[in-house]
Amino acid sequence: MLVSVDRAETRVALLEASGTPAASRSSSTARKAASARKRGGAPEAGYRIAELYIERRGGRSIVGNIYKGKVDNVLPGLEAAFVDIGLEKNGFLHVDEIVLPGVETPRRGRGSGSGRKISDLLSPGQEIVVQVVKDPLKTKGARLSMEVTIAGRYMVYAPTGEGIGVSRRLEDRERERLRRQTSNLALDGGGVIVRTAAHGAKREDFERELKYLHKLHEVLDNRVRETTAPDLVFQEADLSVRVVRDIFSAHFERAIVDDEQQYRRLVSFFTRTAPELVERVELWEQGEPLFEAYGVDKAIDGLLSRRVDLPSGGYLIIDYAEALTVIDVNSGSFIGRGKGAALEDTITKTNLEAAEEVVNQLRLRDIGGIIVIDFIDMARARNRDAVMKTLRKTLDEDRTKTFTAEISKLGLVEMTRQNVTEGVREIMSRPCPTCEGEGVIRSEETIAIEFERRLRDVAVEHPEAEAFLVQVNPRVSTQFTGHGSRVLHALEAQTGKSFLFEGSEGLMLDHFAITFMGARDEVEERALPFRQGDEVLVEIVEPHMYDVDDAVAKIDGYIISIAGAAPHVGEKRMVRIDQVGRTAASALLLDESGEVVRPAARPAATGGARSDARRAAEPAESGRAAERASKRSRGRRAPADSEDAEVRLEAGLSESATVVDSEPEDEMPAAGEDAAGTAQDEGAEDGLQSKPRRRGRRGGRRRSAAKAKATPE
């Protein structure tokens, strides 16, 4: 048993292995194990993590707490009452859990006619003493019982009970011995149940503990008389003491605690209740954290995963629902062993491994409620029986109450497991705030279509505004501005308004807000995230898709093309904004002193040297390339034209870049030609984020010529 305590939470892990505990072996073996523990404290081979309990400060389990409550409402149709115990939600008290002196109550609450109805037993405003038997789970309040019990190490004292009972988890011979040891105990009213932890206890142990439990009951009665309902009158021990009290016995090799104060508490507890176990409590004084040294932290990390791998290559998929947990068994990469492997044998081996691992996961994750296990279908009845036998045998190691039905013809096993407290998954996680636990969210395209409808409505509601600044997530705005902004242009043409976008990746995908509206010039001014001359620290994420010397940075979906930054991809560098467009900007790289790093001069041709023979074989093509370069040069607008500058930026080119007609196979399109051609055809405003399309030499030349004829410029 490992007990780790820190400021925020207490964690207890149980490690299991087959065999005899080292503390119960021969003296020489025990001494060797003790000396090994002093050297490093590492566990012996064969141990695995079986159970894990977590209790956080301010979120302690209330199971076992006793309250003086006030009946808030009685519901005869449910044969139950809701009791105010001072918590956020009222507790639930079923008629089966009502215990009143001298009053016969109906059992199972099925309206059999025996006993009295709940409306005759309780009434609103009545004060009663109740004990929590199940923590509040999700939308349900705590489960209550009027049959109050006080737990000790060897016995549980029930003031309203009678007689002596012995745990059925003990062997028949040990149960008979304990009955003899506890016969004729002075109960002084009430009853006791001998616990599993009493294995090997003697009569003086029971007599000593019974006196202690009677004193606790007297203190409880005094508090009930002095307390005004609703309020707490008795609080159960914290996690570490509770687990040690209920579980730790001679079957445990040792308990290791990494907190000195908690170590002293456990030693004091065992000194009073089980002195023979004091020497099995150890203080962890190694430099390495306790849970890390024993591999518990690694196991905790895997508890939130849906997938659990099996030794042979198969795996489990665990899915959770409101009142149901479904475990699916898959063969995975396991295809059998040997040349004579058959399908039925492969399936059976996977199912046998899954039967053991399912129980391990139920215990480790503390899964309760209804559980459905979908084993792989088996044709033979004897194989199904073998899987069920393995499942039930492994469940015998689980201390929590379970009930298992037979395996069906579909390979399904239905079972239930008592759900007392929140599992490790519920404690360590919370529902996703985006999907609210559904596991799926609406896609960017779906949200963009909805926003398009809303923008049409906004345009109608505000006819006086020329343009609107819309705040959305960049992944949604890309649905409007990508692929040549066809969606945005169609929307603006339909409404007669202009729409500009702003936002950051931190926004929810379905976030929508109109942050500014007015004249187009005013909205455009506010929409620009940067101004010319701004110096910004950016992370250079990828090479430029057109210019091998340049690179690209992205800030909340806004693209910054950085001249000469190709060698610095993956680095964070300061840049100076050179030109700004609606969705993209160009920038210059700065050195450590803040001076602009000028990119090296580019060669006149990027295709590399070609042989004179190749050049001689293509005189006509070279002449046509020169002619096209001359036409594009005459067709360009002046650099001062702001519209042309913006098109160039959105196409992924800086204004200062020189367009060179190099080899015909890799020719660079000019800005003037691309304003209506490549930029729109391949996604002008989204150009830096998409992969370039490679075109054949002659096909590209024909398409470029056709676009040149169709373009007025």
Side-chain angles (χ1 to χ4, degrees):
M1 178 181 295
L2 309 179
V3 181
S4 178
V5 182
D6 55 27
R7 182 199 61 81
E9 64 183 7
T10 299
R11 300 177 295 173
V12 178
L14 304 184
L15 277 64
E16 287 184 350
S18 58
T20 305
S24 302
R25 302 173 198 163
S26 63
S27 57
S28 60
T29 305
R31 283 195 300 270
K32 291 180 181 179
S35 61
R37 291 198 295 269
K38 289 181 180 179
R39 289 194 302 270
E44 296 181 9
Y47 275 91
R48 65 173 181 84
I49 303 167
E51 297 179 20
L52 179 67
Y53 304 94
I54 298 177
E55 186 173 82
R56 293 184 172 171
R57 190 178 301 275
R60 288 179 55 175
S61 170
I62 63 172
V63 173
N65 287 2
I66 300 175
Y67 295 86
K68 185 176 183 181
K70 183 180 293 186
V71 178
D72 185 57
N73 195 11
V74 178
L75 303 176
L78 295 178
E79 296 180 337
F82 288 95
V83 183
D84 182 9
I85 57 176
L87 301 181
E88 181 180 355
K89 296 179 181 178
N90 290 342
F92 180 83
L93 177 65
H94 195 266
V95 67
D96 290 355
E97 305 294 342
I98 296 177
V99 178
L100 294 172
V103 177
E104 180 185 359
T105 58
R107 305 308 299 170
R108 301 305 306 164
R110 300 304 181 191
S112 60
S114 61
R116 302 171 63 181
K117 297 181 179 179
I118 190 170
S119 56
D120 299 330
L121 301 173
L122 299 177
S123 59
Q126 180 178 348
E127 295 185 355
I128 57 176
V129 178
V130 293
Q131 187 172 32
V132 177
V133 296
K134 187 175 180 180
D135 273 328
L137 299 176
K138 298 178 181 178
T139 60
K140 301 177 182 179
R143 187 73 180 263
L144 307 177
S145 173
M146 292 181 65
E147 189 170 0
V148 175
T149 59
I150 304 175
R153 171 160 178 79
Y154 300 123
M155 296 183 295
V156 176
Y157 176 61
T160 57
E162 58 182 19
I164 300 174
V166 181
S167 171
R168 295 182 180 180
R169 289 188 170 274
L170 295 168
E171 298 177 356
D172 292 341
R173 181 179 299 179
E174 180 63 15
R175 291 184 66 193
E176 290 299 325
R177 189 191 72 82
L178 291 175
R179 288 185 186 279
R180 292 193 299 269
Q181 294 291 329
T182 57
S183 61
N184 300 322
L185 280 176
L187 299 180
D188 296 334
V192 295
I193 300 175
V194 180
R195 311 184 65 171
T196 308
H199 187 283
K202 300 178 181 178
R203 185 176 181 85
E204 50 267 26
D205 297 325
F206 295 112
E207 291 176 345
R208 179 179 65 250
E209 184 165 276
L210 190 58
K211 293 180 181 179
Y212 169 71
L213 295 176
H214 283 156
K215 290 181 179 179
L216 279 182
H217 182 233
E218 292 178 5
V219 173
L220 177 62
D221 283 342
N222 293 333
R223 290 183 179 177
V224 169
R225 287 192 295 267
E226 298 171 358
T227 302
T228 302
D231 202 356
L232 174 70
V233 294
F234 175 82
Q235 185 174 24
E236 181 63 287
D238 62 12
L239 176 65
S240 58
V241 175
R242 190 167 66 246
V243 173
V244 166
R245 180 196 67 195
D246 297 345
I247 301 177
F248 198 82
S249 63
H251 295 290
F252 280 79
E253 179 178 320
R254 51 181 169 148
I256 308 176
V257 189
D258 66 359
D259 180 75
E260 186 173 358
Q261 181 179 358
Q262 196 70 18
Y263 167 76
R264 290 197 298 266
R265 288 188 61 189
L266 296 183
V267 169
S268 175
F269 174 78
F270 279 125
T271 301
R272 290 183 284 108
T273 59
E276 70 278 5
L277 298 179
V278 172
E279 61 182 10
R280 301 195 187 188
V281 182
E282 302 175 8
L283 177 63
W284 179 261
E285 297 178 317
Q286 309 296 329
E288 187 178 10
L290 176 62
F291 270 34
E292 184 177 335
Y294 280 78
V296 181
D297 283 340
K298 184 178 180 180
I300 292 176
D301 293 338
L303 292 181
L304 301 181
S305 174
R306 294 176 62 237
R307 174 167 173 155
V308 179
D309 292 324
L310 300 176
S312 65
Y315 60 92
L316 308 178
I317 295 294
I318 304 176
D319 287 317
Y320 301 87
E322 177 68 22
L324 177 73
T325 301
V326 180
I327 303 177
D328 184 33
V329 182
N330 298 278
S331 58
S333 61
F334 182 55
I335 57 174
R337 295 288 184 268
K339 296 182 180 180
L343 175 62
E344 182 74 6
D345 297 335
T346 302
I347 292 174
T348 303
K349 179 174 176 57
T350 303
N351 285 339
L352 289 172
E353 291 181 354
E356 295 184 2
E357 187 59 34
V358 162
V359 179
N360 294 340
Q361 292 299 318
L362 294 181
R363 297 178 62 192
L364 190 57
R365 302 182 184 219
D366 197 14
I367 298 174
I370 302 173
I371 300 162
V372 176
I373 309 169
D374 183 11
F375 287 104
I376 306 174
D377 294 344
M378 293 169 286
R380 299 173 184 171
R382 65 180 183 184
N383 292 336
R384 293 196 293 268
D385 293 340
V387 171
M388 285 302 302
K389 182 178 179 180
T390 301
L391 181 64
R392 289 197 170 98
K393 181 180 179 181
T394 313
L395 281 173
D396 290 340
E397 302 173 3
D398 189 5
R399 295 177 299 104
T400 305
K401 296 179 182 178
T402 59
F403 171 78
T404 307
E406 293 294 333
I407 189 170
S408 70
K409 294 181 179 179
L410 299 177
L412 300 178
V413 173
E414 301 173 2
M415 62 174 293
T416 60
R417 188 172 185 269
Q418 188 178 16
N419 198 350
V420 178
T421 62
E422 286 187 314
V424 177
R425 173 177 173 267
E426 284 72 21
I427 295 175
M428 295 179 58
S429 64
R430 66 181 180 90
C432 171
T434 302
C435 70
E436 297 181 352
E438 295 294 331
V440 295
I441 59 174
R442 292 183 298 169
S443 66
E444 291 87 347
E445 183 181 9
T446 302
I447 296 173
I449 292 173
E450 178 186 338
F451 286 178
E452 185 178 351
R453 299 189 185 103
R454 295 175 68 173
L455 289 175
R456 292 195 197 102
D457 296 338
V458 168
V460 174
E461 294 171 0
H462 302 278
E464 73 285 354
E466 296 180 359
F468 299 88
L469 184 58
V470 187
Q471 187 181 65
V472 295
N473 188 291
R475 286 187 285 169
V476 177
S477 63
T478 302
Q479 300 293 319
F480 290 91
T481 60
H483 304 289
S485 300
R486 288 193 293 265
V487 175
L488 180 59
H489 293 332
L491 177 63
E492 292 179 337
Q494 181 182 2
T495 60
K497 308 291 184 181
S498 296
F499 300 98
L500 293 93
F501 299 95
E502 66 174 359
S504 65
E505 291 289 349
L507 294 175
M508 302 284 286
L509 276 181
D510 58 355
H511 176 83
F512 177 90
I514 303 296
T515 57
F516 186 73
M517 65 179 70
R520 179 182 173 87
D521 295 341
E522 296 177 351
V523 176
E524 287 182 348
E525 181 69 17
R526 291 196 56 166
L528 295 178
F530 303 107
R531 298 292 182 269
Q532 186 174 2
D534 287 352
E535 295 185 357
V536 187
L537 177 64
V538 299
E539 182 176 2
I540 304 172
V541 294
E542 61 187 33
H544 198 288
M545 72 177 299
Y546 296 129
D547 196 323
V548 296
D549 296 327
D550 297 350
V552 172
K554 298 177 183 178
I555 300 179
D556 292 330
Y558 191 81
I559 301 168
I560 302 177
S561 175
I562 308 170
H568 305 286
V569 172
E571 301 178 7
K572 290 186 177 181
R573 296 293 298 266
M574 290 293 296
V575 298
R576 180 176 297 163
I577 303 298
D578 184 34
Q579 292 182 3
V580 183
R582 292 176 62 178
T583 59
S586 65
L588 301 174
L589 195 65
L590 301 181
D591 58 17
E592 295 181 356
S593 62
E595 296 297 328
V596 174
V597 179
R598 297 294 177 182
R602 296 177 56 189
T606 59
R610 294 188 297 177
S611 65
D612 294 338
R614 173 87 181 261
R615 293 182 181 275
E618 300 180 2
E621 291 187 8
S622 300
R624 284 195 294 271
E627 182 180 355
R628 283 195 304 274
S630 176
K631 289 181 180 180
R632 283 197 299 270
S633 178
R634 292 195 299 271
R636 290 179 186 162
R637 296 181 181 178
D641 191 327
S642 60
E643 181 180 355
D644 183 57
E646 184 174 324
V647 170
R648 295 172 64 83
L649 287 173
E650 294 173 353
L653 300 172
S654 65
E655 185 65 31
S656 59
T658 302
V659 180
V660 180
D661 190 3
S662 58
E663 284 190 310
E665 298 91 275
D666 298 311
E667 60 177 321
M668 289 286 291
E673 180 185 30
D674 252 4
T678 307
Q680 293 184 5
D681 186 48
E682 298 186 13
E685 297 183 359
D686 195 36
L688 293 180
Q689 301 182 46
S690 59
K691 295 182 180 179
R693 301 180 184 176
R694 299 189 60 84
R695 301 189 297 194
R697 182 173 60 194
R698 297 187 179 275
R701 199 175 293 119
R702 293 193 188 100
R703 283 192 289 270
S704 298
K707 290 178 181 178
K709 292 179 181 179
T711 304
E713 296 150 354

